[in-house]
Amino acid sequence: MRIDIVSIFPDVFEPVLASSMLGIAQQKGAVEFRVHDLRQWTDDKHRTTDDYPFGGGHGMVMKPEPLFRAVRAVTEADPRVPFVVLTCPQGRRLDQRLVEELAAKERLLILCGRYEGVDERVREIVDLEVSIGDYVLTGGELPAMVIVDAVTRLQPGVLASPSSAEEESFSWGLLEYPQYTRPASFEGREVPAVLLSGDHKKIAQWRRLEAIRRTALRRPDLLESADLTEDERAFAARVIAERDSERKEPGSDG
Ligand code: ADE
């Protein structure tokens, strides 16, 4: 997969893209990153990428011309047609399902939004606007890094074992089960015995139930669309009922 990023702060990407898993993914050829400075597509002395909003108001708006030129030039640099993403707080909220959709594209072009927004006409050349959450950042560089990281780790050959992606948080539609490493006993805190039993079937069952328990307690909203058996749904309901009855017990703080 090839990922192009267009930003007015191209330098901030270098250390992130070169580090750890992203750097290794690139060395392995699983992904190719190209970062472009938007200012190369400006045509004035000051290399201006933003301007005042028509109609007045506070803040600056990203000009259309450099972004249109950028998308045209970057698209032409490779025969694969990119799926164009604009980072902005009004976009579709990123979740693991969207990450999987993006990871399946052969090429992504991410435009990092800035300032108070981009000229509305730029939306014509964008396939999808993506938000990384309901909060406002100063720009789209961090969101672009989040997208690139999440998408890259799903590329074939990037994770040590492909089942790591399948078993973890969200790909079952559940939060991840509790994990432990050595020592088995730490200052009186014991690792659950089942994990030391060597019984792989029992371990898998325990993990599944603990993932359901954790999801029920922390993110009950995820249970609705999670793929659970009837017994598992009943277990989730019991976990929630037990927690609620503990809360209501007289003398408890709440
Ligand atoms: N730009 C500013 N805030 C953002 C957010 N939450 N997601 C994507 N792009 C943004």
Side-chain angles (χ1 to χ4, degrees), residues 13-189:
F13 290 93
E14 170 59 27
V16 174
L17 299 182
S19 68
S20 182
M21 201 118 103
L22 298 186
I24 294 168
Q26 233 178 148
Q27 281 163 17
K28 282 186 179 170
V31 67
E32 183 188 348
F33 304 126
R34 300 284 177 96
V35 183
H36 313 271
D37 185 351
L38 179 64
R39 292 190 198 281
Q40 70 188 279
W41 290 290
T42 56
D43 51 13
D44 63 314
K45 196 172 80 189
H46 301 291
R47 311 217 299 160
T48 311
T49 55
D50 64 327
D51 208 337
Y52 295 97
F54 277 126
H58 64 95
M60 301 291 272
V61 176
M62 287 183 90
K63 292 163 66 62
E65 309 95 308
L67 286 164
F68 269 77
R69 288 185 201 127
V71 169
R72 284 190 191 123
V74 172
T75 298
E76 278 169 16
D78 189 290
R80 291 166 285 186
V81 178
F83 185 80
V84 181
V85 168
L86 171 68
T87 58
C88 77
Q90 298 87 26
R92 175 168 158 197
R93 190 134 45 115
L94 190 69
D95 58 14
Q96 194 62 21
R97 180 169 308 167
L98 177 52
V99 170
E100 284 166 17
E101 283 174 38
L102 296 176
K105 309 279 181 203
E106 56 178 2
R107 191 173 173 209
L108 290 181
L109 165 48
I110 305 177
L111 303 175
C112 300
R114 272 264 131 199
Y115 310 113
E116 307 324 293
V118 302
D119 185 287
E120 191 63 22
R121 291 163 289 188
V122 171
R123 302 209 142 81
E124 264 174 54
I125 51 166
V126 166
D127 294 306
L128 187 67
E129 297 170 40
V130 175
S131 160
I132 62 162
D134 290 340
Y135 42 85
V136 181
L137 300 164
T138 55
E141 282 70 22
L142 291 170
M145 289 180 203
V146 168
I147 296 168
V148 167
D149 188 286
V151 161
T152 298
R153 57 187 292 293
L154 292 188
Q155 296 307 304
V158 173
L159 293 182
S161 106
S163 62
S164 344
E166 276 154 34
E167 272 180 28
E168 73 197 0
S169 238
F170 295 115
S171 43
W172 284 346
L174 298 171
L175 300 185
E176 200 168 358
Y177 48 76
Q179 294 271 34
Y180 296 87
T181 186
R182 285 184 287 189
S185 174
F186 170 65
E187 296 181 355
R189 301 165 180 91

